[in-house]
Amino acid sequence: MATLGLVEYGDASPEVRAVYDDIMAVRKTDWINNFWKALAHDPVTLRRTWESIKQIMAPGALDALTKEMIYVAVSVSNQCGYCIASHTAAARKAGMTDAQLGELMAVVGMANETNRLASGYQVEIDARFKT
Amino acid sequence: MATLGLVEYGDASPEVRAVYDDIMAVRKTDWINNFWKALAHDPVTLRRTWESIKQIMAPGALDALTKEMIYVAVSVSNQCGYCIASHTAAARKAGMTDAQLGELMAVVGMANETNRLASGYQVEIDARFKT
Amino acid sequence: MATLGLVEYGDASPEVRAVYDDIMAVRKTDWINNFWKALAHDPVTLRRTWESIKQIMAPGALDALTKEMIYVAVSVSNQCGYCIASHTAAARKAGMTDAQLGELMAVVGMANETNRLASGYQVEIDARFKT
Amino acid sequence: MATLGLVEYGDASPEVRAVYDDIMAVRKTDWINNFWKALAHDPVTLRRTWESIKQIMAPGALDALTKEMIYVAVSVSNQCGYCIASHTAAARKAGMTDAQLGELMAVVGMANETNRLASGYQVEIDARFKT
Amino acid sequence: MATLGLVEYGDASPEVRAVYDDIMAVRKTDWINNFWKALAHDPVTLRRTWESIKQIMAPGALDALTKEMIYVAVSVSNQCGYCIASHTAAARKAGMTDAQLGELMAVVGMANETNRLASGYQVEIDARFKT
Amino acid sequence: MATLGLVEYGDASPEVRAVYDDIMAVRKTDWINNFWKALAHDPVTLRRTWESIKQIMAPGALDALTKEMIYVAVSVSNQCGYCIASHTAAARKAGMTDAQLGELMAVVGMANETNRLASGYQVEIDARFKT
């Protein structure tokens, strides 16, 4: 169970409800996932985190699906079970196909492998990569 | 310096040269970066790693640039200096703009933050994410 | 279930019981948590680990609460579910308030984010930080 | 060298300079460290990151020194060379003594060890820690 | 539940069945563990991963038990619950005794501790280690 | 440079010298590497860390070379440059051949890859692995 429990909408302060409302509006959904309900015990962190995510995940130079797949790649590398579940769902909602999921996982796996081969063999950075 | 040193093309066995030649042909380049030269002391690993990367990084359901950005995202999360340098260069060669780099870094940073907020608050996975 | 099972007090050797007794005495508690019961299959590691923790976690230049919060910060960064649960409980027993928990999590999250922004942008260490 | 280079004060846009000025004012210093100069190529991320850090690191339920030591603990666990250097310097500026540094490192080291003993032995979370 | 579900033998394509058959033959077992069933949605990754593992884990300069213990060491350091469970079982099948398990865990724990003491104190690599 | 600098033998207190002497005697060497010289500012941590390593790394159910290779595997997974350099040197001194190094790296790389495939596909632990 979340350390401090979950703050449900009906029990939330107006300050927290305003964030919940904005999350649902931006994401075009009618529910709030546990991450936000757990953060809501600290309304300052709740608001800052949401405002940051809203800004960062909005389509820009990268589209929404690419951003969600990057989020999954990081979460998988870090072994964060909650984030893998929630962002895999988000990526699929954003249109990720099974074939794209498969390629995403293949790249993440390979990158984790060669990250260790490079450090394990103590490979020096090529001069060409430094300029 | 790499643990076992670097195998230069001129000193390479025919088996290693064949891999080097294929790397240069596939990547349309005329040089081999240190990672491969360090791996070349173990020709079996050299070949397997190259064949895997060639297969995984080829455009498919995801394009080459997206794959390189995912590679960077993983390398940054893992703090692999060599891989950050080499795959940032590869992503730029594949067309990544400064604006895309900025958004990539912003997503990677945010994902690393919320990965810890989720685990730190011991948030349970929502039932909806499990189906 | 723990790989080798848990050694309960009633089934423990005198050597293991002596460690259990010291844990309960130092921590002013009447139970042993699973971590120690799982380690008890290797009495040498059990004793060394307990003696190290007892020495390290004793109040000194840093007070007990600060040390427990640092322990939580590391455990969260490493995604160790067991350690997050046990050391969050220990920190709360040592007096951590909900407000302190919230600030601890905010710092941990932010540090994890900027750790990746710093490495992702390949930022060189400032000369002033090296002296 | 930082991927996109460093934006020096004299070359910065008014938007970036405003952030630099605020950093120097809040930190009561007359220079900007490389981290911010590397981020400045993306003024939106620069501002958001600074505003978040300013909010999070301000003394509150936890004092400034405790927050800096937590920052160091995370950076050490993540092997972020830049962040270890910069936040160790910040913690010392905030008053961390050599004795406190020594205890901080001892706790960080021990936590990293027991994080793996707990997961390695597949220890289940005690029921008492879940409530 | 695995993201895309598990592909059981009876429902598998001939391509997937061929890999399953080879896994059972090489491992001298009559069942397939969930890892492969989850990967089977992407037959290319399934085959490449299996061929790589078959090649890498075959006895060579290192024996099978040593390789399995190294696999466990990595999985524990990365906090991968699935891999800790499956490779601990594999190591025990390959002959790992309880005493060897205990020493393995002790080394893994210690290495994780000193990895952070080395980086936390910003220790420079000795010249003798570079040659 | 190490945060607090390095304590050379000639400048060390009798307490620190005693540890240095024991390190050189046990390792049958005539020099002290930087790790210990950096720790020596905190003699309590210096002694505890050395006594733990001496106990853990002594040949027992696992031989010295196997233990050193496990140490390298962990250090590579954690991207600890200092520890990779020092423990690769130690493993070679303990007899690790180039072929063994190659296989060690291959296993470490593969384990890091499948750790992420297992978590990325959210694979559930098989019932058989839990008993």
Side-chain angles (χ1 to χ4, degrees):
Chain A
M1 217 185 89
T3 309
L4 302 178
L6 303 174
V7 178
E8 300 297 338
Y9 191 92
D11 304 320
S13 67
E15 187 184 7
V16 167
R17 271 193 203 186
V19 176
Y20 284 5
D21 286 339
D22 195 42
I23 291 172
M24 291 189 285
V26 168
R27 295 190 164 174
K28 299 186 203 315
T29 183
D30 63 351
W31 70 297
I32 296 293
N33 56 303
N34 289 346
F35 177 73
W36 304 108
K37 293 180 187 169
L39 274 192
H41 289 278
D42 180 354
V44 172
T45 295
L46 174 69
R47 174 163 290 285
R48 187 188 59 248
T49 305
W50 167 243
E51 293 295 340
S52 293
I53 283 193
K54 184 166 65 168
Q55 185 184 71
I56 290 168
M57 298 304 283
L62 299 177
D63 59 82
L65 173 55
T66 299
K67 289 184 172 185
E68 284 293 351
M69 289 193 298
I70 292 167
Y71 224 109
V72 172
V74 170
S75 303
V76 168
S77 297
N78 288 333
Q79 304 279 345
C80 177
Y82 185 86
C83 309
I84 294 168
S86 61
H87 286 279
T88 296
R92 289 163 78 89
K93 189 177 166 190
M96 181 175 66
T97 64
D98 287 3
Q100 288 174 319
L101 170 66
E103 296 197 6
L104 168 60
M105 290 303 154
V107 176
V108 169
M110 197 70 212
N112 272 288
E113 177 171 356
T114 59
N115 279 192
R116 273 64 183 208
L117 291 175
S119 61
Y121 276 100
Q122 305 186 75
V123 188
E124 287 177 310
I125 299 178
D126 304 71
R128 294 200 197 190
F129 292 149
K130 290 184 179 168
T131 53
Chain B
M1 216 186 90
T3 310
L4 302 177
L6 305 174
V7 178
E8 299 297 337
Y9 191 92
D11 304 320
S13 66
E15 186 184 8
V16 167
R17 269 192 205 184
V19 177
Y20 284 4
D21 286 338
D22 196 42
I23 291 172
M24 291 189 285
V26 169
R27 294 192 164 171
K28 301 185 202 313
T29 182
D30 63 352
W31 69 297
I32 296 293
N33 56 304
N34 290 346
F35 176 73
W36 304 107
K37 293 180 188 169
L39 274 192
H41 290 278
D42 179 355
V44 172
T45 295
L46 174 70
R47 175 163 288 287
R48 188 188 60 247
T49 306
W50 167 243
E51 293 296 339
S52 294
I53 283 194
K54 184 166 65 166
Q55 185 184 70
I56 290 168
M57 298 305 282
L62 299 177
D63 59 80
L65 173 56
T66 299
K67 288 184 173 184
E68 284 294 350
M69 289 193 298
I70 292 166
Y71 224 109
V72 171
V74 170
S75 303
V76 168
S77 296
N78 287 333
Q79 304 278 346
C80 178
Y82 185 86
C83 309
I84 294 168
S86 61
H87 286 279
T88 296
R92 289 162 78 90
K93 188 176 165 192
M96 181 175 67
T97 64
D98 287 3
Q100 288 174 320
L101 170 66
E103 296 196 7
L104 169 60
M105 292 301 156
V107 176
V108 169
M110 197 69 211
N112 272 288
E113 177 170 357
T114 60
N115 278 194
R116 273 63 182 210
L117 291 175
S119 61
Y121 276 100
Q122 303 185 75
V123 187
E124 288 177 308
I125 299 178
D126 304 72
R128 295 199 197 193
F129 291 147
K130 291 183 179 169
T131 54
Chain C
M1 217 185 90
T3 309
L4 302 178
L6 304 175
V7 178
E8 298 297 338
Y9 190 92
D11 304 320
S13 66
E15 186 184 8
V16 167
R17 269 193 205 184
V19 176
Y20 284 4
D21 286 339
D22 195 43
I23 292 172
M24 290 190 286
V26 169
R27 294 190 165 174
K28 300 185 202 315
T29 182
D30 63 351
W31 70 297
I32 297 293
N33 56 303
N34 289 346
F35 176 73
W36 304 107
K37 293 180 189 170
L39 275 192
H41 289 278
D42 179 355
V44 172
T45 295
L46 175 70
R47 174 162 289 287
R48 187 188 60 248
T49 306
W50 167 243
E51 293 296 339
S52 293
I53 284 193
K54 184 166 65 168
Q55 185 184 71
I56 290 168
M57 299 305 282
L62 299 177
D63 59 82
L65 174 55
T66 299
K67 288 184 173 186
E68 283 295 349
M69 289 193 298
I70 292 166
Y71 224 109
V72 171
V74 170
S75 303
V76 168
S77 296
N78 288 333
Q79 304 278 345
C80 178
Y82 186 86
C83 310
I84 294 168
S86 61
H87 285 279
T88 297
R92 289 162 78 88
K93 189 176 165 191
M96 181 175 66
T97 64
D98 287 4
Q100 288 174 320
L101 170 66
E103 296 196 6
L104 168 61
M105 291 302 155
V107 175
V108 169
M110 197 69 212
N112 272 287
E113 177 170 357
T114 60
N115 278 194
R116 274 64 182 207
L117 291 174
S119 60
Y121 276 100
Q122 305 185 75
V123 187
E124 288 177 308
I125 299 178
D126 304 72
R128 294 200 197 192
F129 291 148
K130 291 184 180 168
T131 52
Chain D
M1 214 184 91
T3 310
L4 302 178
L6 304 174
V7 178
E8 300 297 337
Y9 192 92
D11 304 319
S13 67
E15 186 184 8
V16 167
R17 269 193 204 185
V19 177
Y20 284 5
D21 287 338
D22 195 42
I23 291 173
M24 291 189 285
V26 168
R27 294 191 165 174
K28 300 185 200 318
T29 182
D30 63 351
W31 69 298
I32 297 293
N33 56 303
N34 289 346
F35 177 72
W36 304 108
K37 293 180 188 170
L39 275 193
H41 289 278
D42 180 354
V44 171
T45 295
L46 174 70
R47 174 163 290 286
R48 187 188 60 249
T49 305
W50 166 243
E51 293 295 339
S52 293
I53 282 194
K54 183 166 66 167
Q55 185 185 70
I56 290 168
M57 298 305 281
L62 299 176
D63 59 83
L65 173 55
T66 299
K67 289 184 172 186
E68 284 294 350
M69 290 193 298
I70 292 167
Y71 224 108
V72 171
V74 170
S75 303
V76 168
S77 297
N78 287 334
Q79 304 278 344
C80 177
Y82 186 85
C83 309
I84 294 168
S86 61
H87 286 280
T88 296
R92 289 163 77 89
K93 189 176 165 190
M96 181 175 66
T97 64
D98 287 3
Q100 288 174 320
L101 170 66
E103 296 196 6
L104 168 60
M105 290 303 155
V107 175
V108 169
M110 197 70 211
N112 272 288
E113 177 171 358
T114 59
N115 279 194
R116 272 64 182 209
L117 291 175
S119 62
Y121 276 100
Q122 304 185 76
V123 188
E124 288 178 307
I125 299 178
D126 304 71
R128 295 200 196 191
F129 291 148
K130 291 183 179 169
T131 52
Chain E
M1 216 185 88
T3 310
L4 302 178
L6 304 174
V7 177
E8 298 298 337
Y9 191 92
D11 305 320
S13 67
E15 186 184 9
V16 167
R17 269 193 205 185
V19 177
Y20 284 5
D21 287 338
D22 195 43
I23 292 173
M24 291 189 286
V26 169
R27 295 191 164 172
K28 303 185 201 314
T29 183
D30 63 351
W31 70 297
I32 297 293
N33 56 302
N34 289 346
F35 177 72
W36 304 108
K37 293 180 187 170
L39 274 192
H41 289 279
D42 179 354
V44 173
T45 295
L46 174 69
R47 175 163 289 285
R48 188 188 59 248
T49 306
W50 167 243
E51 293 296 341
S52 294
I53 283 194
K54 184 167 62 168
Q55 186 184 71
I56 291 169
M57 298 305 281
L62 299 177
D63 59 82
L65 174 55
T66 300
K67 288 184 172 185
E68 283 295 350
M69 289 193 298
I70 293 166
Y71 224 109
V72 172
V74 170
S75 303
V76 168
S77 297
N78 287 334
Q79 305 277 345
C80 177
Y82 186 85
C83 310
I84 294 168
S86 61
H87 286 279
T88 296
R92 288 163 78 88
K93 189 177 165 191
M96 181 175 67
T97 63
D98 287 4
Q100 288 174 319
L101 170 66
E103 296 196 6
L104 168 61
M105 290 303 155
V107 176
V108 169
M110 198 69 212
N112 273 287
E113 177 170 356
T114 59
N115 279 193
R116 273 63 184 209
L117 291 175
S119 61
Y121 276 99
Q122 304 186 76
V123 188
E124 287 177 309
I125 298 178
D126 304 71
R128 295 199 198 191
F129 292 148
K130 292 184 179 169
T131 54
Chain F
M1 216 185 88
T3 310
L4 303 179
L6 304 174
V7 177
E8 299 298 338
Y9 192 91
D11 304 320
S13 66
E15 186 184 8
V16 167
R17 270 192 204 186
V19 176
Y20 284 5
D21 287 339
D22 195 42
I23 291 173
M24 291 189 286
V26 168
R27 295 191 164 172
K28 302 186 200 315
T29 183
D30 64 350
W31 69 297
I32 296 293
N33 56 303
N34 289 346
F35 177 72
W36 304 108
K37 293 180 188 169
L39 274 192
H41 289 279
D42 179 353
V44 173
T45 294
L46 174 70
R47 174 162 290 287
R48 188 188 58 249
T49 305
W50 166 244
E51 293 295 340
S52 293
I53 282 194
K54 184 167 62 166
Q55 185 184 71
I56 290 168
M57 298 305 280
L62 299 177
D63 59 81
L65 173 55
T66 300
K67 288 184 173 186
E68 284 294 350
M69 289 193 297
I70 293 166
Y71 224 108
V72 171
V74 170
S75 303
V76 168
S77 297
N78 287 335
Q79 305 278 347
C80 177
Y82 186 86
C83 309
I84 294 168
S86 60
H87 286 279
T88 296
R92 288 163 79 87
K93 189 177 166 191
M96 181 175 67
T97 64
D98 287 4
Q100 289 174 319
L101 171 66
E103 296 196 7
L104 169 60
M105 291 303 154
V107 176
V108 169
M110 198 69 211
N112 272 288
E113 176 170 358
T114 60
N115 279 193
R116 273 63 183 209
L117 291 175
S119 62
Y121 277 100
Q122 304 185 75
V123 187
E124 286 177 312
I125 299 178
D126 304 70
R128 295 199 198 191
F129 291 148
K130 291 183 179 169
T131 53

